[in-house]
Amino acid sequence: MSAPAHKPPLSEVIAPGHTLTSVSEKITKIVLTRATPRGWYIGFGIAFLLVMVLLVSITKLLVSGIGVWGVNVPVGWGLAIINFVWWIGIGHAGTLISAILLLFRQQWRTSINRFAEAMTLFAVACAGIFPLLHVGRPWLAYWLVPYPNTMSLWPQFRSPLLWDVFAVSTYATVSALFWYVGLIPDLAALRDRAKSKPWKILYGIGAMGWRGAARHWERYETAYLLLAGLATPLVISVHTVVSLDFAVSVIPGWHATIFPPYFVAGAIYSGFAMVLTLAIPLRKIYGLQDFITLHHLQNMAKIVLATGMIVVYGYTMEAFFAWYSANPYEQAMLANRAFGYYGWTYWCLLGCNALTPQFLWFKKVRSNVVALFVIALIVNVGMWLERFVIVVTSLSHDYLPSSWDTYTPTKWDWGLYVGTFGLFLALLFLFIRFLPMISIFEMRTLVPSGVAEAAEKDEEHA
Amino acid sequence: MSAPHKHAHRCFGVLAEYTSGAELLEAIEHGKRAGYTKMEAYTPLPMHEVSHALGHENDLPKFVLAGGILGACTGFGMQYYAAVIHYPLNVGGRPLNSWPSFIPITFELTILFAALTTVLGMLALNGLPRPHHPVFSVPGFENASRDRFFLLVPHYDPKFDADGALAALRETRSLAVQEVPHP
């Protein structure tokens, strides 16, 4: 994390004039001294109400059973699985920013990695709810874990669904570890700045007595890099395993070797769109334009464009394989996807995911914050539709006409989905209120004067 | 030997404060010339130069490698044991040890064990959690988490004697040199 030899001009990743002191003060103040903006209360209030919707939807489901959802034979994987894949995908951008961009020494990641990691954690929490409830009897979900039991049974290790259990729980654990390790020095900074005793104690517990010893930093940095190196293949494996849930089956439209890379690209695509969706209002409300500069937004827009093109390649190849395979079922799947009962979702998806990002080729659009925000929202919708097309269209229309049927989500399906937005936003609001949303110690490494001139800058500032 | 310093029995060490990493590095060199070998520095940001100057060693990667290997063996071992030894199930004569389908879980457990070893190992080697430490009682040390750099000559340094350390650190470009009381 110390300055690498080749780096972009720092003025692009942090506004000029900042020092060790000003960086630390500006970020800690948001948590410790600044009055909570009224918008925070309004936003948290709305999120809290949506959490209530989530709790009611879960209660209804547990009391009445899975029949309150629209799922039935043949579409057994309705909204629950769509939302699971969608949320997991969103989480992946956080890991990408925190781990992969760290390994590639992209310094611009520094100001966005903390809340992108928080986003990962909360998105995984939302994602986890769906398969847990989708098993039907969530109180028996522990059967998925290999534990010594009197039935003398093992879970099915040869099934992608069980791989998913291991992949997602490992991902959740490693994301939480990565996030917490990143927070330790900042919690120490908050502990040292907090005015009130209870907060000092709380932040102190979190900081675990961190005192910035050189010996500690040495191991800390090694640990941080190792975690990044471990998280990078992990994040790719998670969405690969998610895609194998589909690809290992024999349903037309699922049984395709392109699924793993195409899912991973889609995940990164939707995740970066979500980071943009969150970063644009946050930097405005909290006045963080110095730290999250236009340069950051433009870089993210470029990644959205690049991954969007990979996703479009995926759509094209799916269509090409269906035609080239000369397999009547695959060809029927393609025709049904485009012109069948759910045809409109496919065209909406292409509009959102293939057409909309093309505007990002223009620098004018990439520099327009409002346009970026709108495009990011449309991409999020598009990626949700993609999972809808994959899950519902294929299941509703497979081999035998006798087993074709449609699927319509009920209000409880939607309630659960909307409710997870509440959970996600409520956690995010609490996070930006009580923890530093930008990594303070990593921002210190960006102070242009670096090591040698920090003192003079300090004196100027003082 | 001179008479023991009057505070020697309750002095944890001597702490000097600097406004920049460059001054801290100079002070470390100065301290090394004075014969101190167990110095510790406190900085608001990670600085490789400082830990190089202090000659710190770092065993963490070895532990992580061991953790990863243990995870891989656990993952594959568990699945092999379940499928081949404990509950063999003949499905159309297919091999019991269907190792390709055991790879994903083996991989996930490798990562999980390695990541847990990384974090727990880092904390254990650093001696954390340790909510209190004598340096915290020095006024101004709270700025070690903001913009100040500190150098400590601890009492367990073989060359340590409080007066000598105070004098040696006062020769550097420090803002303040203070004794750290022993709790």
Side-chain angles (χ1 to χ4, degrees):
Chain A
M1 270 166 287
S2 69
H6 304 287
K7 51 190 176 183
L10 280 165
S11 58
E12 288 182 355
V13 289
I14 183 170
H18 277 291
T19 64
L20 289 181
T21 322
S22 71
V23 164
S24 313
E25 288 300 308
K26 186 156 182 163
I27 304 171
T28 45
K29 260 186 187 148
I30 292 173
V31 177
L32 293 176
T33 41
R34 254 179 72 165
T36 312
R38 180 143 23 112
W40 188 90
Y41 288 104
I42 298 170
F44 183 72
I46 295 171
F48 187 74
L49 289 177
L50 291 177
V51 175
M52 296 303 115
V53 174
L54 176 72
L55 294 181
V56 171
S57 305
I58 293 178
T59 311
K60 174 71 183 171
L61 179 81
L62 295 185
V63 171
S64 304
I66 214 115
V68 298
W69 284 351
V71 288
N72 209 330
V73 175
V75 184
W77 271 20
L79 242 56
I81 301 303
I82 298 167
N83 298 337
F84 163 69
V85 180
W86 188 75
W87 274 120
I88 279 277
I90 282 175
H92 284 7
T95 319
L96 190 97
I97 290 172
S98 53
I100 300 182
L101 296 185
L102 176 75
L103 296 181
F104 282 120
R105 304 221 169 217
Q106 295 294 305
Q107 287 192 320
W108 60 274
R109 73 178 261 292
T110 300
S111 55
I112 51 173
N113 75 334
R114 170 67 50 73
F115 78 80
E117 283 168 35
M119 183 192 82
T120 296
L121 213 53
F122 305 150
V124 172
C126 291
I129 291 175
F130 289 101
L132 191 67
L133 294 175
H134 193 260
V135 297
R137 287 178 289 169
W139 48 93
L140 295 179
Y142 67 91
W143 283 4
L144 289 163
V145 179
Y147 69 102
N149 57 72
T150 52
M151 299 173 280
S152 207
L153 288 173
W154 289 92
Q156 171 56 290
F157 289 123
R158 297 179 180 106
S159 161
L161 295 177
L162 192 75
W163 304 347
D164 224 10
V165 173
F166 279 84
V168 172
S169 50
T170 300
Y171 185 50
T173 313
V174 173
S175 302
L177 288 175
F178 201 19
W179 186 65
Y180 180 64
V181 166
L183 268 172
I184 291 173
D186 287 2
L187 288 171
L190 288 173
R191 171 198 66 200
D192 294 343
R193 302 278 100 68
K195 297 277 185 295
S196 75
K197 190 91 187 168
W199 283 114
K200 240 183 160 50
I201 293 174
L202 278 175
Y203 287 129
I205 291 172
M208 296 196 294
W210 182 263
R211 47 192 186 273
R215 196 179 301 272
H216 292 185
W217 276 122
E218 172 80 13
R219 296 198 188 97
Y220 179 89
E221 280 220 282
T222 308
Y224 204 66
L225 277 173
L226 283 172
L227 278 180
L230 292 167
T232 301
L234 174 65
V235 70
I236 291 167
S237 84
V238 171
H239 230 63
T240 300
V241 168
V242 169
S243 82
L244 293 180
D245 291 342
F246 297 89
V248 169
S249 76
V250 292
I251 302 288
W254 286 9
H255 191 61
T257 48
I258 195 161
F259 260 40
Y262 151 60
F263 264 53
V264 172
I268 295 165
Y269 177 57
S270 65
F272 268 91
M274 190 55 111
V275 177
L276 277 174
T277 314
L278 300 176
I280 289 172
L282 271 183
R283 75 197 273 273
K284 175 99 183 101
I285 294 167
Y286 286 94
L288 292 172
Q289 286 94 337
D290 280 7
F291 295 163
I292 306 173
T293 63
L294 206 54
H295 179 73
H296 292 105
L297 301 184
Q298 288 170 347
N299 274 359
M300 287 193 272
K302 284 178 192 165
I303 294 182
V304 168
L305 178 59
T307 48
M309 295 305 286
I310 301 176
V311 171
V312 171
Y313 173 79
Y315 300 151
T316 317
M317 279 301 121
E318 274 193 311
F320 175 76
F321 289 165
W323 168 73
Y324 193 69
S325 68
N327 178 327
Y329 298 106
E330 289 287 335
Q331 289 176 345
M333 178 278 298
L334 185 66
N336 178 51
R337 192 176 267 192
F339 306 110
Y341 182 75
Y342 295 108
W344 63 275
T345 55
Y346 188 60
W347 297 108
C348 284
L349 140 75
L350 289 181
C352 292
N353 281 359
L355 215 55
T356 315
Q358 303 310 321
F359 289 106
L360 296 173
W361 286 106
F362 304 102
K363 186 152 186 147
K364 227 186 177 121
V365 178
R366 289 202 305 270
S367 318
N368 184 330
V369 176
V370 178
L372 280 183
F373 185 69
V374 173
I375 290 174
L377 281 180
I378 294 176
V379 167
N380 280 321
V381 174
M383 284 309 292
W384 191 87
L385 285 170
E386 181 200 299
R387 278 66 179 250
F388 186 91
V389 165
I390 291 172
V391 171
V392 176
T393 317
S394 295
L395 281 178
S396 69
H397 193 97
D398 56 4
Y399 295 97
L400 293 174
S402 61
S403 61
W404 293 352
D405 202 357
T406 57
Y407 159 76
T408 313
T410 65
K411 64 181 174 188
W412 296 111
D413 280 301
W414 293 113
L416 197 62
Y417 180 45
V418 172
T420 49
F421 275 103
L423 179 65
F424 180 75
L425 291 174
L427 290 170
L428 204 66
F429 275 114
L430 290 175
F431 159 69
I432 56 177
R433 177 64 192 81
F434 295 112
L435 291 170
M437 71 176 110
I438 293 179
S439 172
I440 308 172
F441 85 89
E442 285 183 276
M443 289 305 281
R444 289 190 198 116
T445 64
L446 289 187
V447 173
S449 48
V451 174
E453 290 156 30
E456 289 142 52
K457 286 270 180 181
D458 275 3
E459 280 152 26
E460 274 169 36
H461 188 79
Chain B
M1 283 251 339
S2 59
H5 185 266
K6 57 181 172 174
H7 297 309
H9 62 287
R10 51 185 207 88
C11 175
F12 181 80
V14 173
L15 188 73
E17 181 176 355
Y18 303 91
T19 54
S20 79
E23 288 170 3
L24 172 68
L25 285 168
E26 285 173 27
I28 291 172
E29 289 311 316
H30 186 81
K32 280 205 242 174
R33 281 195 298 274
Y36 297 117
T37 50
K38 303 259 185 213
M39 289 182 293
E40 182 57 285
Y42 301 91
T43 56
L45 69 166
M47 288 174 65
H48 291 296
E49 304 88 338
V50 172
S51 37
H52 274 289
L54 293 172
H56 289 160
E57 288 191 4
N58 187 351
D59 284 339
L60 188 59
K62 290 174 204 159
F63 288 100
V64 175
L65 178 65
I69 292 172
L70 181 68
C73 295
T74 308
F76 197 87
M78 171 180 70
Q79 295 177 82
Y80 183 88
Y81 175 74
V84 179
I85 299 165
H86 187 230
Y87 206 115
L89 194 63
N90 188 336
V91 183
R94 287 175 181 79
L96 292 173
N97 178 21
S98 57
W99 65 267
S101 56
F102 298 156
I103 296 298
I105 290 179
T106 305
F107 174 79
E108 301 299 339
L109 287 187
T110 308
I111 300 283
L112 182 67
F113 277 47
L116 286 171
T117 318
T118 307
V119 176
L120 298 178
M122 183 269 285
L123 292 175
L125 291 172
N126 282 351
L128 298 175
R130 175 175 180 177
H132 193 73
H133 188 274
V135 290
F136 284 134
S137 58
V138 174
F141 188 77
E142 67 273 9
N143 289 334
S145 66
R146 191 177 69 177
D147 52 3
R148 292 285 189 252
F149 302 77
F150 291 84
L151 182 63
L152 174 77
V153 180
H155 69 93
Y156 49 79
D157 194 296
K159 282 273 282 183
F160 181 81
D161 97 276
D163 290 328
L166 279 169
L169 290 180
R170 282 202 179 111
E171 285 161 19
T172 62
R173 285 198 285 162
S174 57
L175 280 184
V177 181
Q178 302 173 68
E179 273 187 44
V180 184
H182 219 300

